[in-house]
PDB file of all heavy atoms in Angstrom:
ATOM      1  N   SER V  86     -22.785   4.898  -6.089  1.00 91.00           N
ATOM      2  CA  SER V  86     -23.968   4.167  -5.633  1.00 91.00           C
ATOM      3  C   SER V  86     -23.840   2.656  -5.830  1.00 91.00           C
ATOM      4  O   SER V  86     -24.557   1.880  -5.193  1.00 91.00           O
ATOM      5  CB  SER V  86     -25.212   4.678  -6.376  1.00 91.00           C
ATOM      6  OG  SER V  86     -25.067   4.474  -7.780  1.00 91.00           O
ATOM      7  N   GLY V  87     -22.948   2.233  -6.706  1.00 93.00           N
ATOM      8  CA  GLY V  87     -22.765   0.803  -6.927  1.00 93.00           C
ATOM      9  C   GLY V  87     -21.853   0.130  -5.917  1.00 93.00           C
ATOM     10  O   GLY V  87     -21.643  -1.091  -5.986  1.00 93.00           O
ATOM     11  N   ILE V  88     -21.321   0.907  -4.991  1.00 96.00           N
ATOM     12  CA  ILE V  88     -20.422   0.361  -3.970  1.00 96.00           C
ATOM     13  C   ILE V  88     -21.223   0.081  -2.708  1.00 96.00           C
ATOM     14  O   ILE V  88     -21.854   0.984  -2.142  1.00 96.00           O
ATOM     15  CB  ILE V  88     -19.268   1.338  -3.654  1.00 96.00           C
ATOM     16  CG1 ILE V  88     -18.536   1.741  -4.936  1.00 96.00           C
ATOM     17  CG2 ILE V  88     -18.305   0.718  -2.639  1.00 96.00           C
ATOM     18  CD1 ILE V  88     -17.886   0.595  -5.672  1.00 96.00           C
ATOM     19  N   ASP V  89     -21.204  -1.163  -2.258  1.00 96.00           N
ATOM     20  CA  ASP V  89     -21.978  -1.580  -1.091  1.00 96.00           C
ATOM     21  C   ASP V  89     -21.137  -1.465   0.176  1.00 96.00           C
ATOM     22  O   ASP V  89     -20.041  -2.023   0.263  1.00 96.00           O
ATOM     23  CB  ASP V  89     -22.451  -3.020  -1.274  1.00 96.00           C
ATOM     24  CG  ASP V  89     -23.191  -3.539  -0.059  1.00 96.00           C
ATOM     25  OD1 ASP V  89     -24.298  -3.047   0.211  1.00 96.00           O
ATOM     26  OD2 ASP V  89     -22.643  -4.424   0.627  1.00 96.00           O
ATOM     27  N   ALA V  90     -21.649  -0.761   1.160  1.00 97.00           N
ATOM     28  CA  ALA V  90     -20.888  -0.489   2.381  1.00 97.00           C
ATOM     29  C   ALA V  90     -20.545  -1.768   3.143  1.00 97.00           C
ATOM     30  O   ALA V  90     -19.425  -1.914   3.659  1.00 97.00           O
ATOM     31  CB  ALA V  90     -21.676   0.459   3.288  1.00 97.00           C
ATOM     32  N   GLU V  91     -21.485  -2.702   3.218  1.00 96.00           N
ATOM     33  CA  GLU V  91     -21.194  -3.924   3.970  1.00 96.00           C
ATOM     34  C   GLU V  91     -20.129  -4.759   3.262  1.00 96.00           C
ATOM     35  O   GLU V  91     -19.279  -5.375   3.911  1.00 96.00           O
ATOM     36  CB  GLU V  91     -22.455  -4.757   4.185  1.00 96.00           C
ATOM     37  CG  GLU V  91     -22.196  -5.972   5.072  1.00 96.00           C
ATOM     38  CD  GLU V  91     -23.458  -6.610   5.609  1.00 96.00           C
ATOM     39  OE1 GLU V  91     -24.571  -6.251   5.151  1.00 96.00           O
ATOM     40  OE2 GLU V  91     -23.350  -7.471   6.505  1.00 96.00           O
ATOM     41  N   SER V  92     -20.141  -4.746   1.938  1.00 97.00           N
ATOM     42  CA  SER V  92     -19.107  -5.479   1.202  1.00 97.00           C
ATOM     43  C   SER V  92     -17.737  -4.872   1.453  1.00 97.00           C
ATOM     44  O   SER V  92     -16.740  -5.586   1.617  1.00 97.00           O
ATOM     45  CB  SER V  92     -19.418  -5.469  -0.297  1.00 97.00           C
ATOM     46  OG  SER V  92     -20.642  -6.120  -0.561  1.00 97.00           O
ATOM     47  N   VAL V  93     -17.656  -3.549   1.495  1.00 97.00           N
ATOM     48  CA  VAL V  93     -16.395  -2.873   1.804  1.00 97.00           C
ATOM     49  C   VAL V  93     -15.929  -3.251   3.204  1.00 97.00           C
ATOM     50  O   VAL V  93     -14.754  -3.572   3.431  1.00 97.00           O
ATOM     51  CB  VAL V  93     -16.548  -1.339   1.687  1.00 97.00           C
ATOM     52  CG1 VAL V  93     -15.301  -0.629   2.231  1.00 97.00           C
ATOM     53  CG2 VAL V  93     -16.812  -0.930   0.247  1.00 97.00           C
ATOM     54  N   ALA V  94     -16.855  -3.224   4.164  1.00 96.00           N
ATOM     55  CA  ALA V  94     -16.504  -3.570   5.545  1.00 96.00           C
ATOM     56  C   ALA V  94     -15.985  -4.999   5.629  1.00 96.00           C
ATOM     57  O   ALA V  94     -15.016  -5.285   6.341  1.00 96.00           O
ATOM     58  CB  ALA V  94     -17.719  -3.400   6.452  1.00 96.00           C
ATOM     59  N   ARG V  95     -16.610  -5.881   4.882  1.00 96.00           N
ATOM     60  CA  ARG V  95     -16.160  -7.274   4.897  1.00 96.00           C
ATOM     61  C   ARG V  95     -14.736  -7.400   4.346  1.00 96.00           C
ATOM     62  O   ARG V  95     -13.897  -8.095   4.916  1.00 96.00           O
ATOM     63  CB  ARG V  95     -17.130  -8.135   4.084  1.00 96.00           C
ATOM     64  CG  ARG V  95     -18.471  -8.323   4.770  1.00 96.00           C
ATOM     65  CD  ARG V  95     -19.427  -9.201   3.961  1.00 96.00           C
ATOM     66  NE  ARG V  95     -20.646  -9.467   4.720  1.00 96.00           N
ATOM     67  CZ  ARG V  95     -21.599 -10.304   4.351  1.00 96.00           C
ATOM     68  NH1 ARG V  95     -21.466 -10.992   3.210  1.00 96.00           N
ATOM     69  NH2 ARG V  95     -22.671 -10.487   5.106  1.00 96.00           N
ATOM     70  N   MET V  96     -14.479  -6.730   3.251  1.00 96.00           N
ATOM     71  CA  MET V  96     -13.136  -6.792   2.669  1.00 96.00           C
ATOM     72  C   MET V  96     -12.096  -6.197   3.610  1.00 96.00           C
ATOM     73  O   MET V  96     -10.986  -6.717   3.742  1.00 96.00           O
ATOM     74  CB  MET V  96     -13.123  -6.075   1.324  1.00 96.00           C
ATOM     75  CG  MET V  96     -13.972  -6.765   0.263  1.00 96.00           C
ATOM     76  SD  MET V  96     -14.083  -5.845  -1.287  1.00 96.00           S
ATOM     77  CE  MET V  96     -12.469  -6.211  -1.992  1.00 96.00           C
ATOM     78  N   ARG V  97     -12.465  -5.123   4.276  1.00 95.00           N
ATOM     79  CA  ARG V  97     -11.524  -4.496   5.218  1.00 95.00           C
ATOM     80  C   ARG V  97     -11.199  -5.436   6.376  1.00 95.00           C
ATOM     81  O   ARG V  97     -10.037  -5.553   6.787  1.00 95.00           O
ATOM     82  CB  ARG V  97     -12.106  -3.178   5.733  1.00 95.00           C
ATOM     83  CG  ARG V  97     -12.039  -2.041   4.740  1.00 95.00           C
ATOM     84  CD  ARG V  97     -12.663  -0.768   5.294  1.00 95.00           C
ATOM     85  NE  ARG V  97     -12.422   0.368   4.413  1.00 95.00           N
ATOM     86  CZ  ARG V  97     -12.939   1.586   4.591  1.00 95.00           C
ATOM     87  NH1 ARG V  97     -13.739   1.815   5.642  1.00 95.00           N
ATOM     88  NH2 ARG V  97     -12.655   2.565   3.746  1.00 95.00           N
ATOM     89  N   LEU V  98     -12.214  -6.085   6.918  1.00 95.00           N
ATOM     90  CA  LEU V  98     -11.976  -6.998   8.031  1.00 95.00           C
ATOM     91  C   LEU V  98     -11.215  -8.243   7.584  1.00 95.00           C
ATOM     92  O   LEU V  98     -10.515  -8.870   8.385  1.00 95.00           O
ATOM     93  CB  LEU V  98     -13.304  -7.398   8.675  1.00 95.00           C
ATOM     94  CG  LEU V  98     -14.055  -6.277   9.413  1.00 95.00           C
ATOM     95  CD1 LEU V  98     -15.376  -6.787   9.952  1.00 95.00           C
ATOM     96  CD2 LEU V  98     -13.214  -5.697  10.542  1.00 95.00           C
ATOM     97  N   GLN V  99     -11.340  -8.588   6.312  1.00 95.00           N
ATOM     98  CA  GLN V  99     -10.582  -9.730   5.788  1.00 95.00           C
ATOM     99  C   GLN V  99      -9.130  -9.373   5.525  1.00 95.00           C
ATOM    100  O   GLN V  99      -8.314 -10.258   5.273  1.00 95.00           O
ATOM    101  CB  GLN V  99     -11.231 -10.229   4.487  1.00 95.00           C
ATOM    102  CG  GLN V  99     -12.507 -11.023   4.711  1.00 95.00           C
ATOM    103  CD  GLN V  99     -13.165 -11.417   3.402  1.00 95.00           C
ATOM    104  OE1 GLN V  99     -13.517 -10.562   2.592  1.00 95.00           O
ATOM    105  NE2 GLN V  99     -13.322 -12.707   3.184  1.00 95.00           N
ATOM    106  N   ASN V 100      -8.802  -8.104   5.574  1.00 94.00           N
ATOM    107  CA  ASN V 100      -7.437  -7.634   5.335  1.00 94.00           C
ATOM    108  C   ASN V 100      -7.021  -6.761   6.514  1.00 94.00           C
ATOM    109  O   ASN V 100      -6.825  -5.557   6.393  1.00 94.00           O
ATOM    110  CB  ASN V 100      -7.364  -6.862   4.016  1.00 94.00           C
ATOM    111  CG  ASN V 100      -5.957  -6.434   3.669  1.00 94.00           C
ATOM    112  OD1 ASN V 100      -4.980  -7.065   4.083  1.00 94.00           O
ATOM    113  ND2 ASN V 100      -5.829  -5.360   2.922  1.00 94.00           N
ATOM    114  N   LYS V 101      -6.886  -7.393   7.674  1.00 93.00           N
ATOM    115  CA  LYS V 101      -6.672  -6.647   8.918  1.00 93.00           C
ATOM    116  C   LYS V 101      -5.298  -5.987   8.983  1.00 93.00           C
ATOM    117  O   LYS V 101      -5.104  -5.013   9.695  1.00 93.00           O
ATOM    118  CB  LYS V 101      -6.839  -7.590  10.113  1.00 93.00           C
ATOM    119  CG  LYS V 101      -8.218  -8.203  10.218  1.00 93.00           C
ATOM    120  CD  LYS V 101      -8.257  -9.304  11.267  1.00 93.00           C
ATOM    121  CE  LYS V 101      -9.619  -9.966  11.306  1.00 93.00           C
ATOM    122  NZ  LYS V 101      -9.661 -11.089  12.248  1.00 93.00           N
ATOM    123  N   PHE V 102      -4.330  -6.551   8.295  1.00 97.00           N
ATOM    124  CA  PHE V 102      -2.961  -6.036   8.338  1.00 97.00           C
ATOM    125  C   PHE V 102      -2.609  -5.477   6.961  1.00 97.00           C
ATOM    126  O   PHE V 102      -2.586  -6.212   5.972  1.00 97.00           O
ATOM    127  CB  PHE V 102      -1.979  -7.140   8.714  1.00 97.00           C
ATOM    128  CG  PHE V 102      -2.257  -7.758  10.052  1.00 97.00           C
ATOM    129  CD1 PHE V 102      -3.011  -8.916  10.152  1.00 97.00           C
ATOM    130  CD2 PHE V 102      -1.768  -7.181  11.217  1.00 97.00           C
ATOM    131  CE1 PHE V 102      -3.261  -9.502  11.380  1.00 97.00           C
ATOM    132  CE2 PHE V 102      -2.024  -7.748  12.456  1.00 97.00           C
ATOM    133  CZ  PHE V 102      -2.778  -8.914  12.534  1.00 97.00           C
ATOM    134  N   LYS V 103      -2.335  -4.205   6.899  1.00 95.00           N
ATOM    135  CA  LYS V 103      -2.070  -3.567   5.605  1.00 95.00           C
ATOM    136  C   LYS V 103      -0.628  -3.726   5.171  1.00 95.00           C
ATOM    137  O   LYS V 103      -0.331  -3.725   3.975  1.00 95.00           O
ATOM    138  CB  LYS V 103      -2.440  -2.076   5.675  1.00 95.00           C
ATOM    139  CG  LYS V 103      -3.875  -1.808   6.106  1.00 95.00           C
ATOM    140  CD  LYS V 103      -4.887  -2.469   5.177  1.00 95.00           C
ATOM    141  CE  LYS V 103      -6.320  -2.142   5.531  1.00 95.00           C
ATOM    142  NZ  LYS V 103      -6.833  -2.895   6.697  1.00 95.00           N
ATOM    143  N   THR V 104       0.296  -3.835   6.121  1.00 97.00           N
ATOM    144  CA  THR V 104       1.720  -3.946   5.791  1.00 97.00           C
ATOM    145  C   THR V 104       2.402  -4.943   6.719  1.00 97.00           C
ATOM    146  O   THR V 104       1.865  -5.309   7.772  1.00 97.00           O
ATOM    147  CB  THR V 104       2.440  -2.593   5.933  1.00 97.00           C
ATOM    148  OG1 THR V 104       2.523  -2.254   7.334  1.00 97.00           O
ATOM    149  CG2 THR V 104       1.731  -1.483   5.169  1.00 97.00           C
ATOM    150  N   GLY V 105       3.609  -5.351   6.318  1.00 98.00           N
ATOM    151  CA  GLY V 105       4.407  -6.202   7.180  1.00 98.00           C
ATOM    152  C   GLY V 105       4.757  -5.530   8.491  1.00 98.00           C
ATOM    153  O   GLY V 105       4.849  -6.191   9.537  1.00 98.00           O
ATOM    154  N   LEU V 106       4.951  -4.215   8.460  1.00 98.00           N
ATOM    155  CA  LEU V 106       5.261  -3.502   9.704  1.00 98.00           C
ATOM    156  C   LEU V 106       4.089  -3.544  10.674  1.00 98.00           C
ATOM    157  O   LEU V 106       4.288  -3.619  11.893  1.00 98.00           O
ATOM    158  CB  LEU V 106       5.645  -2.049   9.405  1.00 98.00           C
ATOM    159  CG  LEU V 106       7.072  -1.816   8.925  1.00 98.00           C
ATOM    160  CD1 LEU V 106       7.299  -0.335   8.642  1.00 98.00           C
ATOM    161  CD2 LEU V 106       8.090  -2.307   9.960  1.00 98.00           C
ATOM    162  N   ASP V 107       2.864  -3.497  10.151  1.00 98.00           N
ATOM    163  CA  ASP V 107       1.698  -3.662  11.027  1.00 98.00           C
ATOM    164  C   ASP V 107       1.767  -5.009  11.743  1.00 98.00           C
ATOM    165  O   ASP V 107       1.465  -5.117  12.933  1.00 98.00           O
ATOM    166  CB  ASP V 107       0.408  -3.595  10.204  1.00 98.00           C
ATOM    167  CG  ASP V 107       0.137  -2.219   9.631  1.00 98.00           C
ATOM    168  OD1 ASP V 107       0.648  -1.235  10.183  1.00 98.00           O
ATOM    169  OD2 ASP V 107      -0.575  -2.139   8.613  1.00 98.00           O
ATOM    170  N   ILE V 108       2.168  -6.030  10.993  1.00 98.00           N
ATOM    171  CA  ILE V 108       2.281  -7.374  11.577  1.00 98.00           C
ATOM    172  C   ILE V 108       3.379  -7.408  12.625  1.00 98.00           C
ATOM    173  O   ILE V 108       3.203  -7.946  13.727  1.00 98.00           O
ATOM    174  CB  ILE V 108       2.545  -8.408  10.472  1.00 98.00           C
ATOM    175  CG1 ILE V 108       1.323  -8.550   9.568  1.00 98.00           C
ATOM    176  CG2 ILE V 108       2.924  -9.765  11.071  1.00 98.00           C
ATOM    177  CD1 ILE V 108       1.550  -9.398   8.331  1.00 98.00           C
ATOM    178  N   ALA V 109       4.546  -6.836  12.304  1.00 98.00           N
ATOM    179  CA  ALA V 109       5.671  -6.854  13.238  1.00 98.00           C
ATOM    180  C   ALA V 109       5.311  -6.154  14.548  1.00 98.00           C
ATOM    181  O   ALA V 109       5.652  -6.636  15.638  1.00 98.00           O
ATOM    182  CB  ALA V 109       6.893  -6.207  12.601  1.00 98.00           C
ATOM    183  N   LYS V 110       4.623  -5.024  14.467  1.00 98.00           N
ATOM    184  CA  LYS V 110       4.247  -4.288  15.675  1.00 98.00           C
ATOM    185  C   LYS V 110       3.221  -5.070  16.498  1.00 98.00           C
ATOM    186  O   LYS V 110       3.327  -5.159  17.727  1.00 98.00           O
ATOM    187  CB  LYS V 110       3.684  -2.916  15.286  1.00 98.00           C
ATOM    188  CG  LYS V 110       4.721  -1.974  14.695  1.00 98.00           C
ATOM    189  CD  LYS V 110       4.087  -0.677  14.189  1.00 98.00           C
ATOM    190  CE  LYS V 110       5.126   0.219  13.546  1.00 98.00           C
ATOM    191  NZ  LYS V 110       4.541   1.458  12.988  1.00 98.00           N
ATOM    192  N   TYR V 111       2.246  -5.643  15.820  1.00 98.00           N
ATOM    193  CA  TYR V 111       1.209  -6.406  16.507  1.00 98.00           C
ATOM    194  C   TYR V 111       1.787  -7.642  17.187  1.00 98.00           C
ATOM    195  O   TYR V 111       1.507  -7.924  18.364  1.00 98.00           O
ATOM    196  CB  TYR V 111       0.124  -6.796  15.495  1.00 98.00           C
ATOM    197  CG  TYR V 111      -0.884  -7.775  16.016  1.00 98.00           C
ATOM    198  CD1 TYR V 111      -1.851  -7.384  16.945  1.00 98.00           C
ATOM    199  CD2 TYR V 111      -0.899  -9.089  15.560  1.00 98.00           C
ATOM    200  CE1 TYR V 111      -2.795  -8.289  17.420  1.00 98.00           C
ATOM    201  CE2 TYR V 111      -1.843 -10.001  16.033  1.00 98.00           C
ATOM    202  CZ  TYR V 111      -2.779  -9.596  16.961  1.00 98.00           C
ATOM    203  OH  TYR V 111      -3.703 -10.492  17.433  1.00 98.00           O
ATOM    204  N   THR V 112       2.616  -8.385  16.473  1.00 98.00           N
ATOM    205  CA  THR V 112       3.136  -9.635  17.022  1.00 98.00           C
ATOM    206  C   THR V 112       4.213  -9.405  18.076  1.00 98.00           C
ATOM    207  O   THR V 112       4.373 -10.217  18.992  1.00 98.00           O
ATOM    208  CB  THR V 112       3.667 -10.540  15.897  1.00 98.00           C
ATOM    209  OG1 THR V 112       4.622  -9.816  15.108  1.00 98.00           O
ATOM    210  CG2 THR V 112       2.525 -11.006  15.006  1.00 98.00           C
ATOM    211  N   ALA V 113       4.966  -8.302  17.959  1.00 98.00           N
ATOM    212  CA  ALA V 113       5.955  -7.994  18.995  1.00 98.00           C
ATOM    213  C   ALA V 113       5.257  -7.787  20.344  1.00 98.00           C
ATOM    214  O   ALA V 113       5.746  -8.250  21.384  1.00 98.00           O
ATOM    215  CB  ALA V 113       6.763  -6.753  18.618  1.00 98.00           C
ATOM    216  N   ALA V 114       4.113  -7.101  20.327  1.00 98.00           N
ATOM    217  CA  ALA V 114       3.364  -6.883  21.567  1.00 98.00           C
ATOM    218  C   ALA V 114       2.873  -8.206  22.143  1.00 98.00           C
ATOM    219  O   ALA V 114       2.905  -8.421  23.366  1.00 98.00           O
ATOM    220  CB  ALA V 114       2.185  -5.944  21.305  1.00 98.00           C
ATOM    221  N   ILE V 115       2.443  -9.120  21.268  1.00 98.00           N
ATOM    222  CA  ILE V 115       2.010 -10.440  21.728  1.00 98.00           C
ATOM    223  C   ILE V 115       3.171 -11.172  22.386  1.00 98.00           C
ATOM    224  O   ILE V 115       3.042 -11.748  23.476  1.00 98.00           O
ATOM    225  CB  ILE V 115       1.468 -11.268  20.539  1.00 98.00           C
ATOM    226  CG1 ILE V 115       0.131 -10.713  20.073  1.00 98.00           C
ATOM    227  CG2 ILE V 115       1.328 -12.740  20.928  1.00 98.00           C
ATOM    228  CD1 ILE V 115      -0.385 -11.361  18.811  1.00 98.00           C
TER     229      ILE V 115
END
């Protein structure tokens, strides 16, 4: 109950790429 859903969502959106491979795949497409 002490965990706020909007705070979690904010942190998730602030950390859009979880790994370097996520970055490599995203940027290769660009």
